[in-house]
Amino acid sequence: MSRLNVPPPEEVPADSQRILDSVGAQFGFVPNMFATLASNPTVLEVVMTLQGALSRVLDARTRHTIALAVSQANGCGYCLAMHTHVATKFGGMSGEDVELGRAGSSVDPKRAAVARFAQRVVESRGQVSDAELAAVRGAGYTDPQILAIVTVAVQVQLTNFINNLNQTDIDIPAVSAAGTPG
């Protein structure tokens, strides 16, 4: 059961309601994470603005892979379920690639390097080794892209921390320990 209060619909601040309406149109429902964030319009706006801005960096599958790798590293069941749902339903990723993303890999060698690097960024709190930085560069990523990888990883970590603290009720198909839907 979630530990933070979700405002009832009639108590959602107007600024939050506008954002929730947009989220609902995108997903077909308002996921519990966003409903929880609605109690603080500024926090909801920050999360949504950050997600929107970061949708312009890297390709969608790479961002999904980072989200899966980071959410696994942080043990966030809610985010694993959400990112699995989004990656498969909207991102065209296979169940195998989702599972590999969680494990810090991918069917694509370049994305596998990103997944490993993103996990190391989180696990080391940004203090990656020269060899780890060289590996992601060796996979073909430029320094501006590496900045984007780190920023996406931190954005995912933000929602991981919120959902881990809240113990957000999973309102989308949960994932098994192996990372497959259900």
Side-chain angles (χ1 to χ4, degrees), residues 16-169:
S16 291
Q17 190 59 56
R18 174 183 49 82
I19 296 170
L20 292 182
D21 290 345
S22 175
V23 168
Q26 179 183 0
F27 287 100
F29 70 104
V30 176
N32 284 337
M33 179 187 84
F34 298 104
T36 302
L37 294 177
S39 69
N40 187 321
T42 302
V43 172
L44 178 60
E45 182 179 3
V46 165
V47 168
M48 295 305 295
T49 299
L50 190 55
Q51 286 181 348
L54 291 176
S55 71
R56 298 187 307 266
V57 301
L58 307 168
D59 65 272
R61 287 186 182 182
T62 299
R63 291 190 319 273
H64 293 315
T65 300
I66 292 168
L68 291 161
V70 171
S71 295
Q72 180 68 39
N74 285 319
C76 184
Y78 186 87
C79 292
L80 285 168
M82 177 61 82
H83 291 298
T84 296
H85 176 74
V86 171
T88 56
K89 183 170 181 165
F90 302 111
M93 288 179 68
S94 68
E96 176 189 13
D97 208 15
V98 166
E99 188 172 332
L100 287 169
R102 286 183 62 178
S105 191
S106 174
V107 296
D108 175 83
K110 191 170 180 178
R111 282 199 323 268
V114 164
R116 280 190 300 278
F117 184 72
Q119 282 186 333
R120 285 300 304 142
V121 165
V122 170
E123 293 164 354
S124 70
R125 292 183 294 282
Q127 297 183 28
V128 297
S129 69
D130 290 342
E132 290 163 333
L133 186 57
V136 78
R137 282 183 175 140
Y141 288 96
T142 64
D143 287 359
Q145 290 171 318
I146 292 168
L147 291 172
I149 293 164
V150 173
T151 305
V152 170
V154 169
Q155 180 271 314
V156 172
Q157 184 154 325
L158 169 64
T159 56
N160 289 172
F161 282 13
I162 289 169
N163 287 300
N164 280 343
L165 173 131
N166 186 35
Q167 298 176 2
T168 306
D169 292 331

